[in-house]
Amino acid sequence: MDAPADAAIPAARPWVALNCAVSMDGRLAFAEGARARLSSPEDLARVQWLRAEVDAIAVGVGTVLLDDPSLRVHWELIGATGGAEPTRVILDASGRTPPKARVLDGTTPTIVATSRRSSRTYPAHVRTIVAGEGTVELARLLPELRRSGVRRLLVEGGAGVLASFARSGLFDRWTVYYAPRVIGGARAPPMVAGPESPGMEATVPLRLDGVERLGEGFVARYRPGAEPTD
Ligand SMILES: NC(=O)c1ccc[n+]([C@@H]2O[C@H](COP(=O)([O-])OP(=O)(O)OC[C@H]3O[C@@H](n4cnc5c(N)ncnc54)[C@H](OP(=O)(O)O)[C@@H]3O)[C@@H](O)[C@H]2O)c1
C-alpha cells in the first residue's frame, strides 16, 4: 500500500486509507446490501497486506449488521506468520452493534466510536470513544484515534462511511478494486452513499495515482484532489 513512514504521518490525525471492492457498475453489494464477494483471490490477498500494514481498521455499523466481518488479518492468505492484529474501530453512533457481532468477540482490541445519543454499554474489553452529539464526527474521532496511538487507519466501508470520509476530505489514499461483473438493478448499494451532488461543484475531486491489473479485475489508486479540511 506504500503506507508512509512514521515521520510522514500527520500529527493531528492518522494517515487514512479507504479501500473497497465494487462491481464494474460501482456497486458494493447486492440488493438491500446483501454481501457480495467481489474480491478475487488476488484482491483478497492485497487487502490482507493493507490490513497488516495499519494500526486500525474501521467500518460502519451498517457493515457490521449486514456482513458481520471479523476485521482480522488472514495471515494464511498471504503466507505470512501472524503479527500484531490491528485495532477494530466501529462507527456506531446509537449502539446498534449486535452483542454477538464478531467485532465484539474480544479477540483483538476493539473501539466503538459513538455519540452522546447512545447509552449502550459494552463488555470491558471494548473501549468507547464519544465523538459527537448525534453522529460520529470524523473531525473529533480521528484526532482521538491518533492520540491513542493509531498512526495508520484503513477504512473498509460501507457506503455511508465512505461517503463521510470522502465528503470530509479526511483521507490520504483510496483504492478501489473493480471486479469484472455487473450487478445492476436499483437496490444494490453504490460505492458511496450520503448527500446527492447537485452539480460538479458539489462532487469530491480526486487524483488518479495509478491503475493496476489484478487477476481479471483492476485496482485504481486515488488521492484527494483538494487539500484536507483538517
Ligand atoms: N464491497 C466492499 O468492499 C464492501 C466493504 C464494506 C461494506 N460493504 C457493503 O456496504 C454495505 C453497508 O453500507 P452502509 O452504508 O449500509 O453501512 P456503513 O457505511 O457500514 O455504516 C453506516 C452507518 O454507520 C453509522 N455511522 C456512524 N458514524 C458515521 C459517520 N461519520 N458516517 C457515516 N456513517 C456513520 C451510521 O449509523 P448510526 O447513525 O446508527 O451510527 C450509518 O448508518 C453492505 O451492503 C456491505 O456489504 C461492501
Side-chain angles (χ1 to χ4, degrees):
M1 167 164 76
D2 335 315
D6 285 359
I9 291 174
R13 64 167 176 84
W15 179 83
V16 175
L18 314 182
N19 182 71
C20 59
V22 296
S23 58
M24 184 274 259
D25 55 327
R27 311 304 180 95
L28 272 186
F30 296 123
E32 273 66 71
R35 186 177 199 171
R37 295 187 186 274
L38 292 162
S39 285
S40 62
E42 297 89 346
D43 189 54
L44 280 178
R46 182 187 66 86
V47 173
Q48 301 317 307
W49 283 115
L50 296 184
R51 288 183 175 184
E53 281 185 17
V54 296
D55 304 300
I57 306 172
V59 295
V61 62
T63 296
V64 171
L65 287 164
L66 283 155
D67 297 356
D68 194 20
S70 74
L71 302 184
R72 298 185 64 115
V73 182
H74 298 287
W75 301 100
E76 71 285 0
L77 292 180
I78 51 176
T81 46
E85 289 284 337
T87 296
R88 309 183 277 206
V89 181
I90 316 308
L91 277 66
D92 179 358
S94 56
R96 294 192 287 142
T97 300
K100 290 200 180 313
R102 292 164 82 194
V103 290
L104 297 185
D105 65 10
T107 55
T108 67
T110 302
I111 294 172
V112 175
T114 190
S115 76
R116 294 206 187 283
R117 182 152 63 96
S118 173
S119 53
R120 169 87 179 270
T121 56
Y122 295 91
H125 62 262
V126 175
R127 180 178 165 209
T128 53
I129 295 178
V130 176
E133 302 306 313
T135 185
V136 177
E137 294 168 28
L138 301 183
R140 285 172 70 170
L141 173 63
L142 293 179
E144 187 56 39
L145 290 176
R146 183 72 176 89
R147 281 191 287 275
S148 310
V150 175
R151 289 161 303 178
R152 300 171 191 82
L153 174 70
L154 174 64
V155 178
E156 293 198 4
V161 164
L162 289 173
S164 291
F165 277 89
R167 291 283 170 198
S168 68
L170 294 171
F171 66 98
D172 302 282
R173 169 78 43 80
W174 195 340
T175 43
V176 183
Y177 173 76
Y178 291 87
R181 289 174 187 279
V182 171
I183 289 184
R187 303 194 322 269
M191 184 186 338
V192 181
E196 304 296 334
S197 293
M200 285 303 280
E201 70 292 347
T203 61
V204 177
L206 299 172
R207 289 185 193 184
L208 179 65
D209 276 336
V211 178
E212 235 179 275
R213 184 169 180 141
L214 195 58
E216 295 302 309
F218 69 94
V219 177
R221 210 153 61 109
Y222 303 92
R223 69 191 143 102
E227 290 304 310
T229 51
D230 63 341

